Amino acid sequence: MQQVYINQLSRHAGEEVTVRGWLYNTRSSGKLMFPQLRDGTGVVQCVVFKKAVAPEVWDALNHLGQESAVTVRGTVRADERAPGGFEIDVADAEVLQRAENYPITPKEHGTEFLMDHRHLWLRSRRQHAILLVRHTIVDAVRDFLNRDGFVLCDTPILTPAACEGTTTLFEVDYFGEEKAYLSQSGQLYNEATAAAFGRVYCFGPTFRAERSKTRRHLTEFWMVEPEMAYATLDDVMNLSERFLSSIAARVLEERPEELKVLERDTSKLEAITPPFPRLHYDEAVRILHEGHERGEMEQRFEWGGDFGSPDETYISGRFDKPVMVHHYPAAVKAFYMQRDPERDELALGVDVLAPEGYGEVIGGGERATSLEFLEEQLRLHELPREAFEWYLDLRRYGSVPHAGFGMGIERCVAWMCGLEHIRETIPFPRMLYRLRP
RNA sequence: UCCGCAGUAGCUCAAUGGCAGAGCAUUCGGCUGUUAACCGAAGGGUUGUAGGUUCGAGUCCUACCUGCGGAGCCA
């Protein structure tokens, strides 16, 4: 007897197989039953005739609660009436555990209820589809970087100090001797490994203790950060463009069924191909001013500020591809950004704004190379010099132009899936008011 | 942290200041091709918490709690 996964059933038409799974839903009609089984790879409809099985099998399946653990043995048969095109004529079945009163019924539920039952919600079709797309995106990210010559060189999660000194950090007691902080970026360590390996990336959890409460924020999220030695802002933009395009292509290729479940407009993903529009900050501001004059933007944007969420949405809304905004004012960017040699008030940084209001998915740029400049920046930002001594070493010993970016995986998943909220893009989201389950 | 909205059965929601309701889920019964199956019946309530106004509060007022949406900050 071969044990088969549901997504492989089409290869076993006419054969007798065993499927092991959980009861998804049942329809019963007296002497005929249609239990639907899911096994993690898909859902299949089973057909049970009362006369075709032993009485105890019929009784066991009858009135069985949703999500009970069941194995069935039967013959695979193509049938137009079956969702998915194939069904199983059941000859025998075994109930491993009878589940009663499964809380998530095949009806509508509110967000709070579903989030409280996240450990069970993951079993539902839509969540299942999202997390499979996430899996493919993570896979595509690793494949792309590995094939492009980047070396995975992960950076620490427990760190002694703020990397950028701006956002709030989660504090951890380190053996009662000192405070440690959960990493909010692998950026600075990446610069060290890039000087060791040339092209590197880190990919792991990132923590931000910001009291943000929007559909784009998690307190714990996954970020991939490539960093290249001997590279410039243009190299970062070229990489971002190829990177996002390859991810979109992989999702389209490998997850058409899941995109259908999510009712994603795939033409939006097909549009993600190089080249992406590149917008100097000055031009972006001009677009915002035009928007204001047309009455499409409430307030007139002041040159020099960072873009707020409505600004990003307005700018990206004018393109059907991701937009790369570069040369931001240095004042709104991190201290380690390289300055524009022609206009010192600008930083060689770039934000990639995703279309459809998904906001900033990538942020990056060229890093400062000068020891003196960084020493001055540390002073201006009132950062503890001792903590950054090792970082300054990177400018003492073979300092070269180098650049990189960070991409938030969950924002990418939300974008690719066309989701309203980032909370569904990670199995167990951590948010301002959500630490459990 | 600020602004706005909400909280009624296990779930999703209704109820003009005047008897606490429906659908789904659950339990029982019926049905040999169902597609969120259908038909019939039953059980199920301290209306988020604490005060207040009123003859009378799910409904109006105040505070708090919880959640949702947005802003700021950011990926």
Side-chain angles (χ1 to χ4, degrees), chain A residues 168-198:
Chain A
T168 332
L169 297 165
F170 284 107
E171 197 176 278
V172 176
D173 176 66
Y174 205 68
F175 300 108
E177 290 173 9
E178 62 177 311
K179 303 280 194 236
Y181 301 89
L182 299 183
S183 171
Q184 61 169 358
S185 167
Q187 162 58 32
L188 302 189
Y189 292 99
N190 258 349
E191 295 185 45
T193 59
F197 294 90

PDB file of all heavy atoms in Angstrom, chain A residues 168-198:
ATOM      1  N   THR A 168      14.388  52.230  18.310  1.00  0.00           N
ATOM      2  CA  THR A 168      14.372  51.626  19.627  1.00  0.00           C
ATOM      3  C   THR A 168      14.768  50.160  19.559  1.00  0.00           C
ATOM      4  O   THR A 168      14.439  49.450  18.625  1.00  0.00           O
ATOM      5  CB  THR A 168      12.964  51.731  20.213  1.00  0.00           C
ATOM      6  OG1 THR A 168      12.336  52.874  19.644  1.00  0.00           O
ATOM      7  CG2 THR A 168      13.015  51.903  21.693  1.00  0.00           C
ATOM      8  N   LEU A 169      15.485  49.721  20.587  1.00  0.00           N
ATOM      9  CA  LEU A 169      15.998  48.354  20.607  1.00  0.00           C
ATOM     10  C   LEU A 169      15.385  47.567  21.756  1.00  0.00           C
ATOM     11  O   LEU A 169      15.043  48.117  22.790  1.00  0.00           O
ATOM     12  CB  LEU A 169      17.515  48.387  20.819  1.00  0.00           C
ATOM     13  CG  LEU A 169      18.328  49.074  19.736  1.00  0.00           C
ATOM     14  CD1 LEU A 169      19.731  49.347  20.253  1.00  0.00           C
ATOM     15  CD2 LEU A 169      18.386  48.207  18.507  1.00  0.00           C
ATOM     16  N   PHE A 170      15.272  46.268  21.553  1.00  0.00           N
ATOM     17  CA  PHE A 170      14.865  45.391  22.648  1.00  0.00           C
ATOM     18  C   PHE A 170      16.095  45.095  23.505  1.00  0.00           C
ATOM     19  O   PHE A 170      17.129  44.670  22.988  1.00  0.00           O
ATOM     20  CB  PHE A 170      14.290  44.081  22.114  1.00  0.00           C
ATOM     21  CG  PHE A 170      12.902  44.223  21.579  1.00  0.00           C
ATOM     22  CD1 PHE A 170      12.657  44.192  20.215  1.00  0.00           C
ATOM     23  CD2 PHE A 170      11.828  44.383  22.449  1.00  0.00           C
ATOM     24  CE1 PHE A 170      11.369  44.315  19.720  1.00  0.00           C
ATOM     25  CE2 PHE A 170      10.531  44.506  21.964  1.00  0.00           C
ATOM     26  CZ  PHE A 170      10.300  44.481  20.599  1.00  0.00           C
ATOM     27  N   GLU A 171      15.961  45.310  24.801  1.00  0.00           N
ATOM     28  CA  GLU A 171      17.077  45.131  25.711  1.00  0.00           C
ATOM     29  C   GLU A 171      17.026  43.738  26.325  1.00  0.00           C
ATOM     30  O   GLU A 171      15.964  43.244  26.672  1.00  0.00           O
ATOM     31  CB  GLU A 171      16.986  46.191  26.813  1.00  0.00           C
ATOM     32  CG  GLU A 171      18.241  46.404  27.582  1.00  0.00           C
ATOM     33  CD  GLU A 171      18.070  47.551  28.573  1.00  0.00           C
ATOM     34  OE1 GLU A 171      18.202  48.717  28.163  1.00  0.00           O
ATOM     35  OE2 GLU A 171      17.782  47.264  29.746  1.00  0.00           O
ATOM     36  N   VAL A 172      18.195  43.135  26.460  1.00  0.00           N
ATOM     37  CA  VAL A 172      18.299  41.797  27.051  1.00  0.00           C
ATOM     38  C   VAL A 172      19.374  41.845  28.134  1.00  0.00           C
ATOM     39  O   VAL A 172      20.422  42.460  27.953  1.00  0.00           O
ATOM     40  CB  VAL A 172      18.722  40.766  25.965  1.00  0.00           C
ATOM     41  CG1 VAL A 172      18.937  39.394  26.582  1.00  0.00           C
ATOM     42  CG2 VAL A 172      17.686  40.693  24.861  1.00  0.00           C
ATOM     43  N   ASP A 173      19.086  41.196  29.255  1.00  0.00           N
ATOM     44  CA  ASP A 173      20.099  41.114  30.311  1.00  0.00           C
ATOM     45  C   ASP A 173      21.140  40.083  29.916  1.00  0.00           C
ATOM     46  O   ASP A 173      20.811  38.946  29.595  1.00  0.00           O
ATOM     47  CB  ASP A 173      19.430  40.712  31.629  1.00  0.00           C
ATOM     48  CG  ASP A 173      20.451  40.516  32.728  1.00  0.00           C
ATOM     49  OD1 ASP A 173      21.076  41.509  33.116  1.00  0.00           O
ATOM     50  OD2 ASP A 173      20.632  39.364  33.161  1.00  0.00           O
ATOM     51  N   TYR A 174      22.416  40.481  29.898  1.00  0.00           N
ATOM     52  CA  TYR A 174      23.468  39.566  29.478  1.00  0.00           C
ATOM     53  C   TYR A 174      24.263  39.116  30.701  1.00  0.00           C
ATOM     54  O   TYR A 174      25.235  39.741  31.101  1.00  0.00           O
ATOM     55  CB  TYR A 174      24.375  40.261  28.447  1.00  0.00           C
ATOM     56  CG  TYR A 174      25.081  39.281  27.530  1.00  0.00           C
ATOM     57  CD1 TYR A 174      24.356  38.548  26.603  1.00  0.00           C
ATOM     58  CD2 TYR A 174      26.458  39.091  27.611  1.00  0.00           C
ATOM     59  CE1 TYR A 174      24.980  37.652  25.764  1.00  0.00           C
ATOM     60  CE2 TYR A 174      27.100  38.194  26.774  1.00  0.00           C
ATOM     61  CZ  TYR A 174      26.351  37.469  25.846  1.00  0.00           C
ATOM     62  OH  TYR A 174      26.987  36.584  25.006  1.00  0.00           O
ATOM     63  N   PHE A 175      23.815  38.019  31.304  1.00  0.00           N
ATOM     64  CA  PHE A 175      24.463  37.423  32.482  1.00  0.00           C
ATOM     65  C   PHE A 175      24.606  38.406  33.637  1.00  0.00           C
ATOM     66  O   PHE A 175      25.525  38.283  34.447  1.00  0.00           O
ATOM     67  CB  PHE A 175      25.840  36.866  32.102  1.00  0.00           C
ATOM     68  CG  PHE A 175      25.758  35.800  31.055  1.00  0.00           C
ATOM     69  CD1 PHE A 175      26.188  36.046  29.765  1.00  0.00           C
ATOM     70  CD2 PHE A 175      25.215  34.553  31.356  1.00  0.00           C
ATOM     71  CE1 PHE A 175      26.096  35.059  28.786  1.00  0.00           C
ATOM     72  CE2 PHE A 175      25.128  33.572  30.384  1.00  0.00           C
ATOM     73  CZ  PHE A 175      25.564  33.814  29.096  1.00  0.00           C
ATOM     74  N   GLY A 176      23.735  39.372  33.697  1.00  0.00           N
ATOM     75  CA  GLY A 176      23.784  40.322  34.805  1.00  0.00           C
ATOM     76  C   GLY A 176      24.975  41.261  34.760  1.00  0.00           C
ATOM     77  O   GLY A 176      25.141  42.096  35.642  1.00  0.00           O
ATOM     78  N   GLU A 177      25.822  41.113  33.726  1.00  0.00           N
ATOM     79  CA  GLU A 177      27.042  41.920  33.679  1.00  0.00           C
ATOM     80  C   GLU A 177      26.880  43.162  32.819  1.00  0.00           C
ATOM     81  O   GLU A 177      27.445  44.205  33.104  1.00  0.00           O
ATOM     82  CB  GLU A 177      28.211  41.077  33.162  1.00  0.00           C
ATOM     83  CG  GLU A 177      28.640  40.018  34.174  1.00  0.00           C
ATOM     84  CD  GLU A 177      29.683  39.083  33.606  1.00  0.00           C
ATOM     85  OE1 GLU A 177      30.202  39.347  32.507  1.00  0.00           O
ATOM     86  OE2 GLU A 177      29.970  38.068  34.276  1.00  0.00           O
ATOM     87  N   GLU A 178      26.117  42.990  31.748  1.00  0.00           N
ATOM     88  CA  GLU A 178      25.882  44.158  30.903  1.00  0.00           C
ATOM     89  C   GLU A 178      24.596  43.971  30.111  1.00  0.00           C
ATOM     90  O   GLU A 178      23.991  42.902  30.144  1.00  0.00           O
ATOM     91  CB  GLU A 178      27.069  44.392  29.959  1.00  0.00           C
ATOM     92  CG  GLU A 178      27.319  43.248  28.995  1.00  0.00           C
ATOM     93  CD  GLU A 178      28.454  43.566  28.026  1.00  0.00           C
ATOM     94  OE1 GLU A 178      28.423  44.662  27.451  1.00  0.00           O
ATOM     95  OE2 GLU A 178      29.342  42.721  27.844  1.00  0.00           O
ATOM     96  N   LYS A 179      24.191  45.018  29.440  1.00  0.00           N
ATOM     97  CA  LYS A 179      23.002  44.953  28.607  1.00  0.00           C
ATOM     98  C   LYS A 179      23.387  44.525  27.203  1.00  0.00           C
ATOM     99  O   LYS A 179      24.401  44.972  26.671  1.00  0.00           O
ATOM    100  CB  LYS A 179      22.336  46.337  28.526  1.00  0.00           C
ATOM    101  CG  LYS A 179      21.969  46.911  29.880  1.00  0.00           C
ATOM    102  CD  LYS A 179      20.681  46.316  30.399  1.00  0.00           C
ATOM    103  CE  LYS A 179      20.140  47.118  31.553  1.00  0.00           C
ATOM    104  NZ  LYS A 179      19.931  46.278  32.753  1.00  0.00           N
ATOM    105  N   ALA A 180      22.558  43.661  26.635  1.00  0.00           N
ATOM    106  CA  ALA A 180      22.719  43.348  25.229  1.00  0.00           C
ATOM    107  C   ALA A 180      21.434  43.800  24.532  1.00  0.00           C
ATOM    108  O   ALA A 180      20.426  44.046  25.185  1.00  0.00           O
ATOM    109  CB  ALA A 180      22.941  41.851  25.032  1.00  0.00           C
ATOM    110  N   TYR A 181      21.498  43.901  23.199  1.00  0.00           N
ATOM    111  CA  TYR A 181      20.336  44.359  22.442  1.00  0.00           C
ATOM    112  C   TYR A 181      20.103  43.426  21.265  1.00  0.00           C
ATOM    113  O   TYR A 181      21.054  42.927  20.672  1.00  0.00           O
ATOM    114  CB  TYR A 181      20.550  45.791  21.946  1.00  0.00           C
ATOM    115  CG  TYR A 181      20.799  46.758  23.070  1.00  0.00           C
ATOM    116  CD1 TYR A 181      22.097  46.995  23.538  1.00  0.00           C
ATOM    117  CD2 TYR A 181      19.735  47.404  23.683  1.00  0.00           C
ATOM    118  CE1 TYR A 181      22.318  47.855  24.599  1.00  0.00           C
ATOM    119  CE2 TYR A 181      19.951  48.269  24.750  1.00  0.00           C
ATOM    120  CZ  TYR A 181      21.250  48.489  25.202  1.00  0.00           C
ATOM    121  OH  TYR A 181      21.463  49.329  26.252  1.00  0.00           O
ATOM    122  N   LEU A 182      18.842  43.184  20.955  1.00  0.00           N
ATOM    123  CA  LEU A 182      18.533  42.347  19.798  1.00  0.00           C
ATOM    124  C   LEU A 182      18.785  43.161  18.536  1.00  0.00           C
ATOM    125  O   LEU A 182      18.398  44.327  18.445  1.00  0.00           O
ATOM    126  CB  LEU A 182      17.073  41.874  19.854  1.00  0.00           C
ATOM    127  CG  LEU A 182      16.721  41.023  21.069  1.00  0.00           C
ATOM    128  CD1 LEU A 182      15.266  40.552  20.974  1.00  0.00           C
ATOM    129  CD2 LEU A 182      17.653  39.828  21.193  1.00  0.00           C
ATOM    130  N   SER A 183      19.400  42.531  17.571  1.00  0.00           N
ATOM    131  CA  SER A 183      19.858  43.227  16.374  1.00  0.00           C
ATOM    132  C   SER A 183      18.715  43.876  15.596  1.00  0.00           C
ATOM    133  O   SER A 183      17.666  43.270  15.389  1.00  0.00           O
ATOM    134  CB  SER A 183      20.578  42.235  15.454  1.00  0.00           C
ATOM    135  OG  SER A 183      20.847  42.851  14.215  1.00  0.00           O
ATOM    136  N   GLN A 184      18.933  45.101  15.176  1.00  0.00           N
ATOM    137  CA  GLN A 184      17.952  45.750  14.312  1.00  0.00           C
ATOM    138  C   GLN A 184      18.478  45.871  12.881  1.00  0.00           C
ATOM    139  O   GLN A 184      17.800  46.364  12.006  1.00  0.00           O
ATOM    140  CB  GLN A 184      17.584  47.129  14.852  1.00  0.00           C
ATOM    141  CG  GLN A 184      18.765  48.077  14.919  1.00  0.00           C
ATOM    142  CD  GLN A 184      18.353  49.495  15.199  1.00  0.00           C
ATOM    143  OE1 GLN A 184      17.182  49.788  15.310  1.00  0.00           O
ATOM    144  NE2 GLN A 184      19.317  50.372  15.308  1.00  0.00           N
ATOM    145  N   SER A 185      19.678  45.376  12.662  1.00  0.00           N
ATOM    146  CA  SER A 185      20.269  45.372  11.327  1.00  0.00           C
ATOM    147  C   SER A 185      21.622  44.678  11.385  1.00  0.00           C
ATOM    148  O   SER A 185      22.346  44.796  12.375  1.00  0.00           O
ATOM    149  CB  SER A 185      20.459  46.807  10.823  1.00  0.00           C
ATOM    150  OG  SER A 185      21.291  46.811   9.678  1.00  0.00           O
ATOM    151  N   GLY A 186      21.948  43.942  10.331  1.00  0.00           N
ATOM    152  CA  GLY A 186      23.263  43.319  10.272  1.00  0.00           C
ATOM    153  C   GLY A 186      24.262  44.187   9.540  1.00  0.00           C
ATOM    154  O   GLY A 186      25.409  43.799   9.325  1.00  0.00           O
ATOM    155  N   GLN A 187      23.779  45.362   9.170  1.00  0.00           N
ATOM    156  CA  GLN A 187      24.502  46.293   8.321  1.00  0.00           C
ATOM    157  C   GLN A 187      25.997  46.458   8.668  1.00  0.00           C
ATOM    158  O   GLN A 187      26.861  46.204   7.842  1.00  0.00           O
ATOM    159  CB  GLN A 187      23.769  47.627   8.381  1.00  0.00           C
ATOM    160  CG  GLN A 187      24.524  48.831   7.948  1.00  0.00           C
ATOM    161  CD  GLN A 187      25.006  48.674   6.529  1.00  0.00           C
ATOM    162  OE1 GLN A 187      24.347  48.020   5.739  1.00  0.00           O
ATOM    163  NE2 GLN A 187      26.153  49.240   6.222  1.00  0.00           N
ATOM    164  N   LEU A 188      26.293  46.864   9.888  1.00  0.00           N
ATOM    165  CA  LEU A 188      27.688  47.185  10.212  1.00  0.00           C
ATOM    166  C   LEU A 188      28.572  45.945  10.155  1.00  0.00           C
ATOM    167  O   LEU A 188      29.697  45.989   9.664  1.00  0.00           O
ATOM    168  CB  LEU A 188      27.778  47.855  11.583  1.00  0.00           C
ATOM    169  CG  LEU A 188      26.970  49.146  11.742  1.00  0.00           C
ATOM    170  CD1 LEU A 188      27.308  49.830  13.058  1.00  0.00           C
ATOM    171  CD2 LEU A 188      27.195  50.102  10.583  1.00  0.00           C
ATOM    172  N   TYR A 189      28.052  44.832  10.649  1.00  0.00           N
ATOM    173  CA  TYR A 189      28.826  43.579  10.604  1.00  0.00           C
ATOM    174  C   TYR A 189      29.018  43.117   9.166  1.00  0.00           C
ATOM    175  O   TYR A 189      30.037  42.524   8.812  1.00  0.00           O
ATOM    176  CB  TYR A 189      28.136  42.503  11.436  1.00  0.00           C
ATOM    177  CG  TYR A 189      28.161  42.800  12.917  1.00  0.00           C
ATOM    178  CD1 TYR A 189      27.058  43.366  13.554  1.00  0.00           C
ATOM    179  CD2 TYR A 189      29.294  42.523  13.677  1.00  0.00           C
ATOM    180  CE1 TYR A 189      27.082  43.651  14.902  1.00  0.00           C
ATOM    181  CE2 TYR A 189      29.331  42.808  15.044  1.00  0.00           C
ATOM    182  CZ  TYR A 189      28.220  43.371  15.649  1.00  0.00           C
ATOM    183  OH  TYR A 189      28.258  43.653  16.991  1.00  0.00           O
ATOM    184  N   ASN A 190      27.985  43.385   8.341  1.00  0.00           N
ATOM    185  CA  ASN A 190      28.089  43.044   6.926  1.00  0.00           C
ATOM    186  C   ASN A 190      29.284  43.727   6.269  1.00  0.00           C
ATOM    187  O   ASN A 190      29.915  43.176   5.378  1.00  0.00           O
ATOM    188  CB  ASN A 190      26.819  43.501   6.190  1.00  0.00           C
ATOM    189  CG  ASN A 190      25.869  42.360   5.919  1.00  0.00           C
ATOM    190  OD1 ASN A 190      26.215  41.196   6.090  1.00  0.00           O
ATOM    191  ND2 ASN A 190      24.672  42.693   5.495  1.00  0.00           N
ATOM    192  N   GLU A 191      29.551  44.941   6.693  1.00  0.00           N
ATOM    193  CA  GLU A 191      30.667  45.673   6.092  1.00  0.00           C
ATOM    194  C   GLU A 191      31.985  44.986   6.417  1.00  0.00           C
ATOM    195  O   GLU A 191      32.910  44.972   5.597  1.00  0.00           O
ATOM    196  CB  GLU A 191      30.672  47.126   6.578  1.00  0.00           C
ATOM    197  CG  GLU A 191      29.450  47.897   6.102  1.00  0.00           C
ATOM    198  CD  GLU A 191      29.501  49.371   6.486  1.00  0.00           C
ATOM    199  OE1 GLU A 191      30.568  49.992   6.311  1.00  0.00           O
ATOM    200  OE2 GLU A 191      28.472  49.889   6.959  1.00  0.00           O
ATOM    201  N   ALA A 192      32.031  44.384   7.614  1.00  0.00           N
ATOM    202  CA  ALA A 192      33.247  43.654   7.994  1.00  0.00           C
ATOM    203  C   ALA A 192      33.391  42.386   7.162  1.00  0.00           C
ATOM    204  O   ALA A 192      34.476  42.083   6.649  1.00  0.00           O
ATOM    205  CB  ALA A 192      33.198  43.312   9.485  1.00  0.00           C
ATOM    206  N   THR A 193      32.290  41.637   7.016  1.00  0.00           N
ATOM    207  CA  THR A 193      32.386  40.377   6.270  1.00  0.00           C
ATOM    208  C   THR A 193      32.578  40.644   4.773  1.00  0.00           C
ATOM    209  O   THR A 193      33.204  39.858   4.075  1.00  0.00           O
ATOM    210  CB  THR A 193      31.162  39.484   6.511  1.00  0.00           C
ATOM    211  OG1 THR A 193      29.984  40.182   6.107  1.00  0.00           O
ATOM    212  CG2 THR A 193      31.046  39.101   7.980  1.00  0.00           C
ATOM    213  N   ALA A 194      32.039  41.778   4.289  1.00  0.00           N
ATOM    214  CA  ALA A 194      32.220  42.105   2.871  1.00  0.00           C
ATOM    215  C   ALA A 194      33.691  42.350   2.568  1.00  0.00           C
ATOM    216  O   ALA A 194      34.182  41.985   1.496  1.00  0.00           O
ATOM    217  CB  ALA A 194      31.398  43.339   2.490  1.00  0.00           C
ATOM    218  N   ALA A 195      34.397  42.944   3.534  1.00  0.00           N
ATOM    219  CA  ALA A 195      35.827  43.182   3.334  1.00  0.00           C
ATOM    220  C   ALA A 195      36.607  41.875   3.415  1.00  0.00           C
ATOM    221  O   ALA A 195      37.732  41.780   2.941  1.00  0.00           O
ATOM    222  CB  ALA A 195      36.340  44.179   4.378  1.00  0.00           C
ATOM    223  N   ALA A 196      35.987  40.857   4.017  1.00  0.00           N
ATOM    224  CA  ALA A 196      36.638  39.550   4.114  1.00  0.00           C
ATOM    225  C   ALA A 196      36.326  38.665   2.918  1.00  0.00           C
ATOM    226  O   ALA A 196      37.155  37.893   2.460  1.00  0.00           O
ATOM    227  CB  ALA A 196      36.225  38.851   5.415  1.00  0.00           C
ATOM    228  N   PHE A 197      35.078  38.753   2.419  1.00  0.00           N
ATOM    229  CA  PHE A 197      34.642  37.834   1.358  1.00  0.00           C
ATOM    230  C   PHE A 197      34.273  38.517   0.037  1.00  0.00           C
ATOM    231  O   PHE A 197      33.956  37.842  -0.927  1.00  0.00           O
ATOM    232  CB  PHE A 197      33.428  37.021   1.830  1.00  0.00           C
ATOM    233  CG  PHE A 197      33.751  36.085   2.961  1.00  0.00           C
ATOM    234  CD1 PHE A 197      33.636  36.488   4.275  1.00  0.00           C
ATOM    235  CD2 PHE A 197      34.191  34.802   2.691  1.00  0.00           C
ATOM    236  CE1 PHE A 197      33.942  35.626   5.317  1.00  0.00           C
ATOM    237  CE2 PHE A 197      34.499  33.927   3.718  1.00  0.00           C
ATOM    238  CZ  PHE A 197      34.376  34.349   5.040  1.00  0.00           C
ATOM    239  N   GLY A 198      34.241  39.827   0.001  1.00  0.00           N
ATOM    240  CA  GLY A 198      33.926  40.527  -1.245  1.00  0.00           C
ATOM    241  C   GLY A 198      32.450  40.809  -1.405  1.00  0.00           C
ATOM    242  O   GLY A 198      32.031  41.959  -1.419  1.00  0.00           O
TER     243      GLY A 198
END
